[in-house]
Amino acid sequence: MKTRTRWAALAALLPLLAACGATVEPAPAPAGGQSATVANCGEQATYPVPQRAVSYDISGTEKMFALGLADRMRGYVLNKVADPSIDGSAYKADYAKVPRLGTARITREIVVDAQADFVFAGWNSGFSEERGITPKLLEQLGIRSYLHTETCWDYGAAKADVSPIEALFADLANLGKIFQVEARANELVGQLRGRLDAVRKGVPAGVEPARVFVYDSGTDQPYTAGKHAAPTDLIAAAGGRNVFGELADGWGSVGWEPVVQAQPEVIVVVDYGDQPAQQKIDFVKSFEGLKNSPAVQENRFYVMSIGELVSGPRNIDGAENLARYLRSVGR
């Protein structure tokens, strides 16, 4: 009873900032003894209501924040290169309030030290066989896990393949059930779907989708977004086509020759801490093979925050912002 009273008191005191800019109350902890069963990566999993969650990266952290769950978190782990994205986040106050448990990769030690009862991360982006932190290993310690649906294409026997945007909506809906905040989750998903539908309706009829290359990093080989990464869906919604949208990967490396052959009309440059966007733009402009591409010829570089491009509520912001840019250049 004391635990529920403490959480209820916190819920009454601490407002949250939702993705759409509205202020919402933190979700109060439900009564004990409840559990929820959801599908995660093709398997049915039952979760007692978590009270000590740990999230990894912007994706997991902002999905939690968007649902008013900051007060059910022991903390989050976020690489330092993503720090600039915090400044532009609608959840900046929550980032400041919730403890940051690490500034690199999530580890089993971090989770255990935090006495977590729930860990939220992606496969091969947080969870990893090589680094010894997997849902099965955590289960042996009595810690439940949830994997980003976006990463399920590469996990387990089912290899569940869901489009990145639908994966976002699935995660929010599932978190709503797990944390007993279904009404809030349904409302948020409805708002995000409505905004995304408006973006799609704003694409001019009869215009060929702009060829868009997502340049994350890399000089020897560019690192880019593939089929299973959020940029592919948000680019399509905005009226473009990711030139590597059929790459059977989430984020991965390609050669420069395929980029040259694609003749991108717009280059989306990913902005994060250790690699300034202008430095990457200057490199592309100096790359001999791309000097005659439409994007370089017309100086069509559009910088986007990593917070808009990894799976999370800000994907819709990214789609809206990119759509405005494409309309501004006649596409």
Side-chain angles (χ1 to χ4, degrees):
M1 182 63 71
K2 290 182 180 179
T3 299
R4 292 199 295 272
T5 302
R6 180 186 66 184
W7 284 109
L10 284 170
L13 291 172
L14 298 171
L16 269 181
L17 189 63
C20 60
T23 300
V24 297
E25 293 296 320
Q34 299 185 40
S35 63
T37 300
V38 303
N40 187 214
C41 290
E43 299 178 358
Q44 294 294 314
T46 300
Y47 298 85
V49 184
Q51 301 295 338
R52 303 185 305 278
V54 170
S55 63
Y56 175 64
D57 208 0
I58 302 169
S59 297
T61 304
E62 295 201 355
K63 288 172 187 174
M64 295 286 290
F65 289 165
L67 293 173
L69 299 171
D71 295 314
R72 311 255 201 103
M73 297 176 67
R74 277 298 171 92
Y76 65 92
V77 179
L78 183 65
N79 196 298
K80 285 184 177 181
V81 300
D83 281 1
S85 70
I86 295 177
D87 291 335
S89 174
Y91 311 105
K92 188 175 180 179
D94 293 307
Y95 277 112
K97 179 174 64 177
V98 176
R100 187 171 185 171
L101 305 177
T103 56
R105 294 282 195 178
I106 192 169
T107 66
R108 187 168 43 178
E109 290 73 22
I110 287 174
V111 170
V112 171
D113 287 347
Q115 298 183 316
D117 61 0
F118 179 86
V119 178
F120 185 20
W123 184 246
N124 285 333
S125 59
F127 296 119
S128 166
E129 293 276 8
E130 183 180 352
R131 291 186 294 103
I133 178 169
T134 69
K136 289 181 180 179
L137 289 171
L138 292 180
E139 182 71 27
Q140 295 172 11
L141 301 174
I143 303 170
R144 305 310 309 278
S145 300
Y146 181 91
L147 292 97
H148 292 288
T149 302
E150 182 195 45
T151 67
C152 289
W153 67 274
D154 196 31
Y155 177 80
K159 302 292 183 188
D161 190 354
V162 181
S163 74
I165 287 292
E166 288 303 318
L168 164 64
F169 298 148
D171 286 344
L172 293 172
N174 283 342
L175 289 174
K177 293 176 183 177
I178 293 168
F179 285 86
Q180 304 290 311
V181 290
E182 286 187 72
R184 178 170 296 179
N186 292 338
E187 180 180 6
L188 177 59
V189 170
Q191 291 172 350
L192 295 177
R193 282 192 183 277
R195 290 169 58 195
L196 188 64
D197 287 343
V199 173
R200 289 168 172 154
K201 290 176 181 176
V203 176
V207 176
E208 188 74 16
R211 298 187 301 277
V212 180
F213 167 52
V214 179
Y215 183 35
D216 177 279
S217 57
T219 53
D220 292 337
Q221 286 190 314
Y223 194 70
T224 190
K227 176 181 178 181
H228 300 285
T232 295
D233 276 4
L234 69 86
I235 288 169
R241 176 179 64 82
N242 178 5
V243 296
F244 291 105
E246 297 303 315
L247 180 68
D249 206 338
W251 294 80
S253 296
V254 296
W256 280 109
E257 186 57 33
V259 179
V260 174
Q261 291 175 353
Q263 287 291 290
E265 297 171 286
V266 172
I267 296 177
V268 166
V269 179
V270 185
D271 186 30
Y272 46 84
D274 63 340
Q275 298 183 43
Q278 188 58 52
Q279 179 178 312
K280 289 186 273 193
I281 292 171
D282 291 343
F283 172 78
V284 171
K285 286 182 175 180
S286 69
F287 189 79
E288 188 64 32
L290 285 171
K291 285 186 176 180
N292 292 322
S293 68
V296 174
Q297 288 282 304
E298 300 294 331
N299 198 34
R300 291 178 178 171
F301 293 89
Y302 184 63
V303 178
M304 297 184 72
S305 165
I306 188 66
E308 296 176 303
L309 295 173
V310 295
S311 179
R314 276 198 271 175
N315 289 162
I316 312 306
D317 298 336
E320 291 170 337
N321 294 334
L322 180 59
R324 280 191 284 270
Y325 175 77
L326 292 179
R327 301 300 90 77
S328 75
V329 296
R331 297 308 307 269

